[in-house]
């Protein structure tokens, strides 16, 4: 059986930009894992009804089985 906890925060820079971070602690049987995430998201209203979204995230995992980093960039268009 496992247990875990998380703490995070989100800040609005302006009406179209937000920053966020989260830290997670997990324990499952004899395995410990800590995950740290930080990211940013920005949205543009290009014209009436047309929106563009861009976000990026960095995550770092510190675990008994090994450490790793990950990067993600996503984008989207909505009409």
């Amino acid at each position: 059986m496992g247990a875990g906890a998380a703490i995070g925060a989100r800040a609005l820079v302006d009406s179209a930009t937000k920053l966020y971070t989260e830290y997670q602690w997990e324990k499952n049987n004899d395995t410990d894992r800590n995950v740290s995430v930080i990211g940013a998201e920005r949205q543009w209203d290009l014209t009436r009804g047309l929106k563009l979204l861009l976000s990026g995230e960095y995550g770092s995992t510190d675990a008994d089985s090994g450490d790793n980093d990950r990067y993600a960039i996503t984008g989207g268009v909505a009409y």
Side-chain angles (χ1 to χ4, degrees):
M1 179 145 266
I7 188 169
R10 181 171 42 171
L12 295 175
V13 176
D14 56 35
S15 63
T17 307
K18 70 178 165 183
L19 305 174
Y20 60 91
T21 186
E22 183 174 293
Y23 194 81
Q24 304 169 6
W25 299 270
E26 299 175 5
K27 184 166 183 72
N28 190 6
N29 297 327
D30 292 332
T31 304
D32 291 334
R33 183 173 99 141
N34 301 320
V35 179
S36 177
V37 176
I38 187 167
E41 184 177 289
R42 171 79 172 148
Q43 178 176 295
W44 294 270
D45 293 324
L46 301 177
T47 63
R48 184 177 171 172
L50 182 61
K51 296 180 185 217
L52 175 67
L53 175 72
L54 181 64
S55 64
E57 185 175 282
Y58 166 74
S60 176
T61 302
D62 175 18
D64 292 341
S65 60
D67 300 342
N68 66 47
D69 296 330
R70 67 175 175 80
Y71 302 87
I73 296 176
T74 60
V77 178
Y79 182 75

